[in-house]
Amino acid sequence: MNSQVRDKTFWQKIMIVVALVVLVVNGVYPLVWIFLTSIKNELELTQVPITYFPQTPNFGNYAQVFQAQPFARFFLNSLVISSLSTVLCVTVAAFAAYALARLRLRYRRIISIIIVAASMFPIVSLIVPLFQIMRGLGWLNTYWSLIIPYATFSLPISTLVLTAFFQGIPEDLESAAMIDGCSRFGALWRVIVPLAAPGVVTAAILAFVNSWNEFLLALTFNSAPDMKTVPVGVMLYQGEFSFPWPLISAAIIITIIPIMVLILIFQRRIISGLTAGGVKG
Amino acid sequence: MRQPELSTAPRSQTRGATFLARFVSGNLRDSELAILLLAPSVVLLVGIMLYPMLNVFLMSLRVQNTLEPSMVTTGFENFSRLLADKRFLDAFTRTIWFGFLTVTGSFLIGLPLALLANLETGWRWLVRVALLLPWAMPQIITGTMFAWMFNSQYGVFNDILVRLGFERIYWLIRPDSATVAFVLTVIWKTSSFVALILLGGLQSIPLELSEAAQVDGATSTQVFWRITLPLLRPAIAVALIFRTLSALQVFDIPYAFMSAGASQSLETLGVYVQKQTVEFTDFGYGSTVSLGLFALSLVITVIYLRFIRPEES
């Protein structure tokens, strides 16, 4: 339901504008504040009363981020892990979603419940057994210790999104392709795959964001200095008693850049993916 | 749902052919195809979630002597220790209380946000970005950011308070104000998530319904309470269960706050599990504590399925 703004009275419009401004400011202000902090000098931070805009903007902190810790390596680690887990997740989810959306199965309901129930397991409880599994497989401090779990954690939401998407593609298209001589797989490849691309992009973005942001497993499984991911890396700048906030803020900004880019480009897709989860339940 | 017709491939390749022949020609039976397609998901879910969970059950029977950590026996002592563990009971009640506050708060803020975001304005992309940002930010970073803003001496919030003429608040240091700071931070982050789910629900409500009601003389308020809200029930239910379960497990934000110097009064169940298993390396007891968390999640899920979602067809 989309109410038309132009039908409202003048005062209602003013209230709406104010409310919208509050909404936007609310979403954005922490990031703005962190950015401002990141270009200040350490000295300036300890002034009372605090300053809002830096007296002399100093972007040196950003260079320092890479010098104080192997942040470029962290970034690479996160990039590889998030990308590969996303690819794995979306592929597996697409298979499952196709089965759930298209094939008439008696146990379809149970499968859906299992998939949703899996997202209800407290992940923090799984740390120890997963740690032992990873140690047994020799995957600790490698990329795989995170790729496989991350793919699994995003599996429920990706399957949900893709199932909703596949259900929206008319069956007749496949039937037509098969009447024209395609096999089952052929119909899948030539008809479904091109049409499902938007849904796949949406599911991929959701999986990527979840993987990029994950902290607990990354902290526990990949503790070797050169295998850490970016969220873990950000916490390293804190000393025993010192908190170099400009440095930490710069690291935070760098961490968020890929996500910001994704949001700005794909906001429509992300929202449609998240809201599809709400509608289909 | 109309079953797509079988391919017109020659009979020899379908009826009576072996599995391998059918696979190669791309003409598996539906049930076989289903198993093939669903297998990877099942493998992953069982391997990463189900099997480890069973392990947790087994490991909670592994009792480690607190004075002599190398002595390990099997038994139920971990459970009796759990029920007597004050730190656990504190974390337990604290987690439930925090959960209640943050879930309620995120809905109180999320619903108006969703309604606002649903309006048609020229600035929709800005609204969308503002709604997505809190959701997309890593939790650990959200925690760190807000810990900085709540800093007693150099934080923004205290600065604004002082400029408005109020007293400084020692946010993170005192338990009660630390709770407020924590709850506000979680609400900031999660009201976007709730808003997004509710937005989906709102967008699926046909415009004609509210228009028809208004033609019949209903006011906006009546339209909201009598039409919008009831139709939003499925979306509210979904947002509720996801929000509640993640509120029970919350780890990153309290961890960030506590790393920045907050009092231990913020220790939630998730944090306590991590401390016991990773920092104290008492795997047996850590598993027992996490069973406490799992039991809580289970109860909440059962309540949800029984009372809030009984209309599952």
Short mmCIF file of all heavy atoms in Angstrom, two decimals, chain B residues 3-45:
data_model
loop_
_atom_site.label_atom_id
_atom_site.label_comp_id
_atom_site.label_asym_id
_atom_site.label_seq_id
_atom_site.Cartn_x
_atom_site.Cartn_y
_atom_site.Cartn_z
N GLN B 3 2.10 -29.87 -13.49
CA GLN B 3 3.36 -30.57 -13.65
C GLN B 3 3.85 -30.35 -15.07
O GLN B 3 3.12 -30.59 -16.03
CB GLN B 3 3.11 -32.06 -13.40
CG GLN B 3 4.36 -32.90 -13.41
CD GLN B 3 5.12 -32.77 -12.10
OE1 GLN B 3 4.80 -31.93 -11.27
NE2 GLN B 3 6.12 -33.61 -11.93
N PRO B 4 5.08 -29.89 -15.22
CA PRO B 4 5.59 -29.74 -16.60
C PRO B 4 5.63 -31.09 -17.28
O PRO B 4 5.88 -32.11 -16.64
CB PRO B 4 7.03 -29.22 -16.39
CG PRO B 4 7.07 -28.73 -15.00
CD PRO B 4 6.05 -29.48 -14.22
N GLU B 5 5.40 -31.09 -18.59
CA GLU B 5 5.32 -32.37 -19.27
C GLU B 5 6.68 -32.98 -19.47
O GLU B 5 7.69 -32.29 -19.51
CB GLU B 5 4.64 -32.16 -20.62
CG GLU B 5 3.20 -31.68 -20.42
CD GLU B 5 2.61 -31.15 -21.70
OE1 GLU B 5 3.16 -31.44 -22.78
OE2 GLU B 5 1.60 -30.45 -21.63
N LEU B 6 6.67 -34.29 -19.58
CA LEU B 6 7.94 -34.98 -19.79
C LEU B 6 8.51 -34.63 -21.14
O LEU B 6 7.78 -34.30 -22.07
CB LEU B 6 7.72 -36.49 -19.71
CG LEU B 6 7.57 -37.05 -18.29
CD1 LEU B 6 7.29 -38.53 -18.36
CD2 LEU B 6 8.83 -36.80 -17.49
N SER B 7 9.80 -34.73 -21.21
CA SER B 7 10.45 -34.38 -22.47
C SER B 7 10.05 -35.37 -23.54
O SER B 7 9.59 -36.48 -23.28
CB SER B 7 11.96 -34.39 -22.25
OG SER B 7 12.59 -35.11 -23.24
N THR B 8 10.22 -34.96 -24.78
CA THR B 8 9.86 -35.85 -25.90
C THR B 8 11.05 -36.71 -26.32
O THR B 8 11.11 -37.18 -27.44
CB THR B 8 9.40 -35.03 -27.11
OG1 THR B 8 10.41 -34.06 -27.40
CG2 THR B 8 8.11 -34.32 -26.81
N ALA B 9 12.00 -36.88 -25.39
CA ALA B 9 13.14 -37.74 -25.71
C ALA B 9 12.65 -39.16 -25.93
O ALA B 9 11.59 -39.54 -25.42
CB ALA B 9 14.13 -37.71 -24.55
N PRO B 10 13.39 -39.92 -26.67
CA PRO B 10 12.95 -41.28 -27.01
C PRO B 10 12.71 -42.12 -25.76
O PRO B 10 13.34 -41.96 -24.75
CB PRO B 10 14.13 -41.86 -27.81
CG PRO B 10 14.91 -40.69 -28.24
CD PRO B 10 14.62 -39.55 -27.31
N ARG B 11 11.74 -42.99 -25.84
CA ARG B 11 11.36 -43.82 -24.71
C ARG B 11 12.53 -44.57 -24.10
O ARG B 11 12.61 -44.76 -22.92
CB ARG B 11 10.36 -44.87 -25.20
CG ARG B 11 9.03 -44.50 -24.81
CD ARG B 11 8.11 -45.54 -24.51
NE ARG B 11 6.85 -44.86 -24.23
CZ ARG B 11 5.78 -45.50 -23.88
NH1 ARG B 11 5.82 -46.80 -23.81
NH2 ARG B 11 4.67 -44.86 -23.64
N SER B 12 13.42 -45.00 -24.95
CA SER B 12 14.52 -45.81 -24.45
C SER B 12 15.33 -45.06 -23.42
O SER B 12 16.03 -45.65 -22.63
CB SER B 12 15.41 -46.22 -25.63
OG SER B 12 15.91 -45.04 -26.23
N GLN B 13 15.22 -43.75 -23.44
CA GLN B 13 16.06 -43.00 -22.51
C GLN B 13 15.32 -42.69 -21.22
O GLN B 13 15.89 -42.17 -20.29
CB GLN B 13 16.51 -41.69 -23.16
CG GLN B 13 17.34 -41.94 -24.40
CD GLN B 13 18.36 -40.85 -24.58
OE1 GLN B 13 18.00 -39.70 -24.72
NE2 GLN B 13 19.63 -41.22 -24.54
N THR B 14 14.03 -43.00 -21.17
CA THR B 14 13.34 -42.70 -19.92
C THR B 14 12.85 -43.97 -19.25
O THR B 14 13.31 -44.34 -18.20
CB THR B 14 12.14 -41.77 -20.15
OG1 THR B 14 11.34 -42.28 -21.19
CG2 THR B 14 12.64 -40.38 -20.50
N ARG B 15 11.91 -44.63 -19.86
CA ARG B 15 11.33 -45.77 -19.17
C ARG B 15 12.30 -46.93 -19.10
O ARG B 15 12.86 -47.36 -20.08
CB ARG B 15 10.07 -46.21 -19.92
CG ARG B 15 9.20 -47.06 -19.08
CD ARG B 15 7.73 -46.78 -19.22
NE ARG B 15 7.27 -45.45 -19.05
CZ ARG B 15 6.02 -45.10 -19.32
NH1 ARG B 15 5.20 -46.00 -19.83
NH2 ARG B 15 5.60 -43.88 -19.13
N GLY B 16 12.52 -47.38 -17.88
CA GLY B 16 13.35 -48.57 -17.71
C GLY B 16 14.83 -48.32 -17.84
O GLY B 16 15.63 -49.21 -17.61
N ALA B 17 15.21 -47.10 -18.15
CA ALA B 17 16.65 -46.85 -18.27
C ALA B 17 17.28 -46.78 -16.90
O ALA B 17 16.61 -46.49 -15.90
CB ALA B 17 16.88 -45.55 -19.03
N THR B 18 18.57 -47.02 -16.84
CA THR B 18 19.25 -46.95 -15.54
C THR B 18 19.37 -45.51 -15.09
O THR B 18 19.22 -44.58 -15.87
CB THR B 18 20.67 -47.53 -15.63
OG1 THR B 18 21.41 -46.73 -16.56
CG2 THR B 18 20.65 -48.97 -16.07
N PHE B 19 19.66 -45.35 -13.85
CA PHE B 19 19.82 -44.01 -13.27
C PHE B 19 20.88 -43.22 -14.04
O PHE B 19 20.70 -42.05 -14.37
CB PHE B 19 20.21 -44.14 -11.80
CG PHE B 19 20.47 -42.80 -11.15
CD1 PHE B 19 19.41 -42.01 -10.73
CD2 PHE B 19 21.76 -42.33 -10.99
CE1 PHE B 19 19.64 -40.78 -10.15
CE2 PHE B 19 22.00 -41.10 -10.40
CZ PHE B 19 20.93 -40.33 -9.99
N LEU B 20 21.98 -43.91 -14.31
CA LEU B 20 23.08 -43.22 -14.98
C LEU B 20 22.66 -42.72 -16.36
O LEU B 20 22.95 -41.60 -16.75
CB LEU B 20 24.28 -44.18 -15.10
CG LEU B 20 25.63 -43.47 -15.20
CD1 LEU B 20 25.84 -42.56 -14.00
CD2 LEU B 20 26.76 -44.49 -15.28
N ALA B 21 21.93 -43.60 -17.08
CA ALA B 21 21.51 -43.21 -18.41
C ALA B 21 20.55 -42.03 -18.33
O ALA B 21 20.62 -41.09 -19.12
CB ALA B 21 20.83 -44.40 -19.10
N ARG B 22 19.69 -42.08 -17.33
CA ARG B 22 18.73 -40.98 -17.20
C ARG B 22 19.46 -39.70 -16.84
O ARG B 22 19.16 -38.62 -17.31
CB ARG B 22 17.69 -41.30 -16.13
CG ARG B 22 16.63 -42.26 -16.63
CD ARG B 22 15.41 -42.16 -15.73
NE ARG B 22 15.74 -42.43 -14.34
CZ ARG B 22 15.76 -43.62 -13.80
NH1 ARG B 22 15.49 -44.68 -14.54
NH2 ARG B 22 16.04 -43.79 -12.53
N PHE B 23 20.44 -39.84 -15.97
CA PHE B 23 21.18 -38.66 -15.53
C PHE B 23 21.88 -38.00 -16.72
O PHE B 23 21.84 -36.79 -16.89
CB PHE B 23 22.21 -39.09 -14.47
CG PHE B 23 23.01 -37.95 -13.92
CD1 PHE B 23 22.46 -37.06 -13.01
CD2 PHE B 23 24.33 -37.77 -14.31
CE1 PHE B 23 23.21 -36.01 -12.50
CE2 PHE B 23 25.08 -36.73 -13.80
CZ PHE B 23 24.52 -35.84 -12.90
N VAL B 24 22.51 -38.86 -17.53
CA VAL B 24 23.29 -38.32 -18.64
C VAL B 24 22.39 -37.63 -19.66
O VAL B 24 22.72 -36.58 -20.21
CB VAL B 24 24.10 -39.46 -19.30
CG1 VAL B 24 24.61 -39.02 -20.65
CG2 VAL B 24 25.25 -39.85 -18.40
N SER B 25 21.20 -38.21 -19.88
CA SER B 25 20.33 -37.60 -20.88
C SER B 25 19.50 -36.48 -20.30
O SER B 25 18.72 -35.87 -21.00
CB SER B 25 19.40 -38.66 -21.47
OG SER B 25 18.50 -39.09 -20.47
N GLY B 26 19.68 -36.23 -19.00
CA GLY B 26 18.98 -35.11 -18.40
C GLY B 26 17.52 -35.36 -18.15
O GLY B 26 16.70 -34.47 -18.20
N ASN B 27 17.15 -36.60 -17.89
CA ASN B 27 15.74 -36.91 -17.72
C ASN B 27 15.47 -37.68 -16.45
O ASN B 27 14.79 -38.68 -16.45
CB ASN B 27 15.23 -37.72 -18.90
CG ASN B 27 15.02 -36.84 -20.10
OD1 ASN B 27 14.33 -35.84 -19.99
ND2 ASN B 27 15.62 -37.19 -21.20
N LEU B 28 16.01 -37.21 -15.36
CA LEU B 28 15.76 -37.90 -14.10
C LEU B 28 14.30 -37.77 -13.70
O LEU B 28 13.62 -36.82 -14.03
CB LEU B 28 16.63 -37.28 -13.00
CG LEU B 28 18.11 -37.62 -13.04
CD1 LEU B 28 18.81 -36.88 -11.93
CD2 LEU B 28 18.32 -39.11 -12.90
N ARG B 29 13.84 -38.75 -12.94
CA ARG B 29 12.49 -38.64 -12.40
C ARG B 29 12.50 -37.53 -11.35
O ARG B 29 13.51 -37.21 -10.77
CB ARG B 29 12.08 -39.95 -11.71
CG ARG B 29 11.97 -41.09 -12.65
CD ARG B 29 11.15 -42.22 -12.03
NE ARG B 29 11.42 -43.46 -12.74
CZ ARG B 29 12.18 -44.45 -12.27
NH1 ARG B 29 12.68 -44.39 -11.07
NH2 ARG B 29 12.41 -45.52 -13.00
N ASP B 30 11.33 -36.99 -11.13
CA ASP B 30 11.22 -35.87 -10.19
C ASP B 30 11.80 -36.18 -8.83
O ASP B 30 12.51 -35.37 -8.24
CB ASP B 30 9.75 -35.47 -10.04
CG ASP B 30 9.37 -34.43 -11.07
OD1 ASP B 30 10.17 -34.19 -11.98
OD2 ASP B 30 8.29 -33.85 -10.94
N SER B 31 11.49 -37.34 -8.30
CA SER B 31 11.95 -37.63 -6.94
C SER B 31 13.47 -37.75 -6.91
O SER B 31 14.12 -37.32 -5.97
CB SER B 31 11.30 -38.92 -6.43
OG SER B 31 11.49 -39.94 -7.37
N GLU B 32 14.03 -38.31 -7.99
CA GLU B 32 15.49 -38.44 -8.02
C GLU B 32 16.14 -37.07 -8.12
O GLU B 32 17.12 -36.76 -7.46
CB GLU B 32 15.92 -39.30 -9.20
CG GLU B 32 15.46 -40.73 -9.09
CD GLU B 32 15.70 -41.47 -10.39
OE1 GLU B 32 15.85 -40.82 -11.43
OE2 GLU B 32 15.73 -42.70 -10.34
N LEU B 33 15.55 -36.25 -8.98
CA LEU B 33 16.09 -34.90 -9.16
C LEU B 33 16.03 -34.13 -7.85
O LEU B 33 16.96 -33.43 -7.48
CB LEU B 33 15.28 -34.17 -10.24
CG LEU B 33 15.82 -32.81 -10.66
CD1 LEU B 33 17.21 -32.95 -11.25
CD2 LEU B 33 14.89 -32.16 -11.68
N ALA B 34 14.92 -34.31 -7.15
CA ALA B 34 14.75 -33.60 -5.88
C ALA B 34 15.86 -33.97 -4.92
O ALA B 34 16.46 -33.11 -4.28
CB ALA B 34 13.39 -33.92 -5.28
N ILE B 35 16.12 -35.28 -4.81
CA ILE B 35 17.17 -35.71 -3.88
C ILE B 35 18.51 -35.12 -4.27
O ILE B 35 19.27 -34.62 -3.44
CB ILE B 35 17.24 -37.24 -3.83
CG1 ILE B 35 15.95 -37.79 -3.25
CG2 ILE B 35 18.43 -37.71 -3.02
CD1 ILE B 35 15.89 -39.28 -3.22
N LEU B 36 18.78 -35.14 -5.56
CA LEU B 36 20.05 -34.61 -6.04
C LEU B 36 20.18 -33.12 -5.73
O LEU B 36 21.22 -32.63 -5.29
CB LEU B 36 20.12 -34.82 -7.56
CG LEU B 36 21.52 -34.89 -8.16
CD1 LEU B 36 22.24 -36.10 -7.61
CD2 LEU B 36 21.42 -35.00 -9.67
N LEU B 37 19.10 -32.40 -5.94
CA LEU B 37 19.16 -30.95 -5.75
C LEU B 37 19.21 -30.56 -4.28
O LEU B 37 19.83 -29.58 -3.91
CB LEU B 37 17.93 -30.29 -6.40
CG LEU B 37 17.91 -30.27 -7.93
CD1 LEU B 37 16.61 -29.66 -8.41
CD2 LEU B 37 19.09 -29.49 -8.47
N LEU B 38 18.51 -31.34 -3.46
CA LEU B 38 18.45 -30.97 -2.05
C LEU B 38 19.63 -31.49 -1.25
O LEU B 38 19.90 -31.02 -0.15
CB LEU B 38 17.14 -31.48 -1.43
CG LEU B 38 15.89 -30.75 -1.90
CD1 LEU B 38 14.65 -31.47 -1.42
CD2 LEU B 38 15.89 -29.32 -1.39
N ALA B 39 20.32 -32.48 -1.81
CA ALA B 39 21.41 -33.12 -1.06
C ALA B 39 22.46 -32.14 -0.55
O ALA B 39 22.83 -32.19 0.62
CB ALA B 39 22.04 -34.22 -1.90
N PRO B 40 23.00 -31.26 -1.41
CA PRO B 40 24.05 -30.36 -0.90
C PRO B 40 23.59 -29.54 0.30
O PRO B 40 24.33 -29.40 1.28
CB PRO B 40 24.36 -29.45 -2.10
CG PRO B 40 23.86 -30.17 -3.28
CD PRO B 40 22.70 -30.98 -2.82
N SER B 41 22.36 -29.00 0.23
CA SER B 41 21.87 -28.20 1.35
C SER B 41 21.81 -29.04 2.61
O SER B 41 22.23 -28.61 3.68
CB SER B 41 20.47 -27.66 1.06
OG SER B 41 20.42 -27.09 -0.20
N VAL B 42 21.26 -30.23 2.47
CA VAL B 42 21.12 -31.10 3.64
C VAL B 42 22.50 -31.42 4.22
O VAL B 42 22.70 -31.38 5.43
CB VAL B 42 20.35 -32.38 3.27
CG1 VAL B 42 20.37 -33.35 4.43
CG2 VAL B 42 18.92 -32.03 2.90
N VAL B 43 23.44 -31.74 3.34
CA VAL B 43 24.80 -32.06 3.81
C VAL B 43 25.38 -30.90 4.62
O VAL B 43 25.89 -31.08 5.72
CB VAL B 43 25.71 -32.41 2.62
CG1 VAL B 43 27.16 -32.38 3.04
CG2 VAL B 43 25.34 -33.76 2.06
N LEU B 44 25.28 -29.71 4.05
CA LEU B 44 25.83 -28.53 4.74
C LEU B 44 25.13 -28.30 6.08
O LEU B 44 25.78 -28.10 7.10
CB LEU B 44 25.68 -27.28 3.87
CG LEU B 44 26.76 -27.07 2.80
CD1 LEU B 44 26.46 -25.79 2.03
CD2 LEU B 44 28.13 -26.98 3.43
N LEU B 45 23.81 -28.34 6.06
CA LEU B 45 23.08 -28.04 7.28
C LEU B 45 23.35 -29.08 8.36
O LEU B 45 23.53 -28.77 9.52
CB LEU B 45 21.58 -27.94 7.00
CG LEU B 45 21.15 -26.69 6.25
CD1 LEU B 45 19.69 -26.77 5.85
CD2 LEU B 45 21.39 -25.46 7.10
#
